[in-house]
Amino acid sequence: MSVGFVEHVADVLDGRAGFCLRGEWGHLSAVLGGGHICQFVKGSHPDLNPLWRPQWPTIDPDRFSPQSDEERFGVPPDARLLAGIAGHSLSFDHFGPPSPEEIAAGLGTHGEAPAVLWKIFREFQDDKPGVEYGAELPIAQIDFRRILRIDPKHPVVYCEEKARNLSRADRPISWTEHVTVGPPFLACGVTRVDMPATHGKVNVGSYSDAMMVTPEADFEWPYAPLQDGGFHDLRTTPDGSYLRYTAQLLDPARALGYTAIANPKAGLLLAYVFRREDFPWVGNWEERFYLQKAPWGGKTFCRGIEFSSTPLALPKRQTISQGPLFNESTYRWLPALSEAKVRHLMLLVDIPSDFAGVAEISVDVARVLIREVGNGRTYSSPANGSFLTGEATGPR
């Protein structure tokens, strides 16, 4: 008989309360402050959590005080977000910094969702244990809920998110799953990132003076042009000190998108599979010992692989006014008094030390199938693939 259950935990991360979903394969944990999924651990690798843990002690964002905490976490608009961030966070209802007027009004980077206290609304103690948790966002006037359920026997997590517009006006929104990985899973010259992307766009030069790749360049995934000539393969993680961001468009011909992050030396692959209509973009954010201001302190190595409705982290007005990129929309609509849903799967897969990368991830009614680059080897995980098909997600 399979075993799985929901556990309330007083100290999930740095003394912060949350919950843990435990199965025979391992566990997934999340904090309630900001809702971040901070642990996803497979029993075969008990000491290897792929999700980034900041090197600074975090706090729940509702406890952040500008008077006492800016020295530790920096200043607005990033401080409240960085005080509590970890692992897989949510950027909602916008992706990027607020406008000057929004900063003056108290709005922070990446929206309200990662900066408020979430609460648990329901628990599921059945054949797929899980929780429904979320928060009402008072400025955006949106009720946000996330349902996480695990397969008790296999390292597969089913995630459905719902956003309900509480206002009588249509709202343009960005919806970004800000998945960030860190050491030891993230390792230079070892960790590899794959996705079914076509075109890419490098962020503006003002973002960083240590991007290596050419600012604002268009490119074909995965080869971004270097500023001194040649190309860099974005599937790899180089050594050095840098901060950069590139936006990737997933193949418009696909029904499903995915991101796959592999560490062959550690023998583990982290994959997310989702509906492309929900998330046509993947952001690639890389920070390696570049940011010196608090709380980074030049000591952070992490990489965000962020599947999203939006390509670039910009103030909302700019996201909307810039128009489509590569003929794809850069935001979506949440109509008045209406609800939209998105879904994704997250899974962990054991891989061999000579694993060459992911060529394809496909889903059928009973499994997720991963095909390796070059040699044609395949890896599968039992899963209910119909979770990613079916009902519409609402207006774009």
Side-chain angles (χ1 to χ4, degrees):
M1 182 175 179
S2 62
V3 177
F5 60 92
V6 181
E7 177 185 4
H8 293 254
V9 182
D11 182 4
V12 173
L13 174 71
D14 298 331
R16 300 163 61 186
F19 61 85
C20 181
L21 307 182
R22 295 193 182 275
E24 293 179 358
W25 52 268
H27 72 274
L28 175 144
S29 298
V31 290
L32 294 178
H36 314 296
I37 300 170
C38 57
Q39 298 170 1
F40 189 27
V41 178
K42 197 169 186 287
S44 59
H45 300 76
D47 299 320
L48 185 62
N49 174 28
L51 300 176
W52 171 53
R53 176 171 181 160
Q55 85 277 359
W56 58 87
T58 64
I59 61 172
D60 286 331
D62 60 302
R63 291 179 49 213
F64 174 83
S65 168
Q67 289 72 35
S68 59
D69 294 325
E70 286 190 354
E71 184 175 348
R72 287 192 292 165
F73 301 117
V75 299
D78 296 342
R80 190 180 299 274
L81 169 71
L82 295 177
I85 197 169
H88 176 165
S89 63
L90 176 76
S91 299
F92 187 92
D93 72 321
H94 71 261
F95 178 44
S99 68
E101 294 85 354
E102 288 172 328
I103 294 173
L107 198 60
T109 296
H110 292 338
E112 292 173 88
V116 297
L117 184 64
W118 295 30
K119 64 180 181 179
I120 296 174
F121 295 99
R122 285 192 296 168
E123 295 184 20
F124 308 96
Q125 300 279 10
D126 52 24
D127 62 332
K128 282 190 171 54
V131 300
E132 178 180 359
Y133 72 130
E136 185 172 318
L137 312 180
I139 298 174
Q141 297 183 65
I142 293 172
D143 182 78
F144 187 89
R145 305 287 180 95
R146 173 188 283 160
I147 298 174
L148 292 172
R149 304 188 75 164
I150 64 168
D151 182 317
K153 288 188 175 182
H154 309 286
V156 178
V157 180
Y158 300 85
C159 177
E160 179 179 89
E161 295 176 343
K162 301 181 287 186
R164 181 163 56 92
N165 188 350
L166 304 177
S167 80
R168 298 179 180 273
D170 297 347
R171 295 200 178 279
I173 64 169
S174 295
W175 199 322
T176 303
E177 305 296 330
H178 198 301
V179 178
T180 308
V181 297
F185 181 73
L186 180 64
C188 293
V190 176
T191 305
R192 173 179 168 130
V193 174
D194 288 294
M195 67 184 80
T198 54
H199 302 297
K201 181 80 172 181
V202 182
N203 208 350
V204 296
S206 59
Y207 182 74
S208 165
D209 60 6
M211 284 201 291
M212 295 191 295
V213 294
T214 305
E216 299 187 64
D218 296 344
F219 62 91
E220 293 186 6
W221 170 264
Y223 299 107
L226 293 166
Q227 295 191 52
D228 57 358
F231 294 87
H232 170 58
D233 184 348
L234 290 169
R235 293 172 297 187
T236 65
T237 301
D239 203 346
S241 175
Y242 51 86
L243 169 67
R244 60 176 172 233
Y245 181 92
T246 61
Q248 285 68 221
L249 176 69
L250 298 185
D251 185 351
R254 300 179 60 93
L256 296 180
Y258 65 83
T259 61
I261 311 169
N263 184 320
K265 186 175 181 179
L268 191 65
L269 168 72
L270 169 66
Y272 287 81
V273 189
F274 46 87
R275 301 183 289 203
R276 188 195 178 277
E277 66 173 317
D278 293 339
F279 303 111
W281 298 98
V282 175
N284 172 55
W285 170 66
E286 300 176 75
E287 157 61 8
R288 181 165 167 80
F289 309 138
Y290 172 82
L291 291 167
Q292 300 295 321
K293 61 185 179 181
W296 307 94
K299 300 177 181 178
T300 302
F301 178 30
C302 59
R303 184 168 182 176
I305 304 298
E306 309 151 6
F307 49 105
S308 178
S309 65
T310 300
L312 297 166
L314 301 169
K316 183 179 286 189
R317 276 183 285 175
Q318 191 173 345
T319 294
I320 295 168
S321 63
Q322 70 178 340
L325 178 61
F326 303 133
N327 297 315
E328 183 73 44
S329 176
T330 59
Y331 63 98
R332 65 177 294 172
W333 285 100
L334 186 57
L337 301 176
S338 297
E339 183 179 272
K341 299 179 182 179
V342 301
R343 287 178 173 178
H344 67 261
L345 297 177
M346 53 189 299
L347 61 153
L348 294 170
V349 179
D350 290 338
I351 55 174
S353 59
D354 62 347
F355 185 78
V358 172
E360 177 60 63
I361 297 181
S362 58
V363 172
D364 61 29
V365 294
R367 64 178 181 171
V368 175
L369 183 66
I370 298 168
R371 180 167 56 86
E372 190 175 348
V373 169
N375 55 43
R377 290 186 297 195
T378 59
Y379 312 81
S380 67
S381 178
N384 176 15
S386 61
F387 178 76
L388 294 177
T389 61
E391 63 186 277
T393 62
R396 304 302 301 169

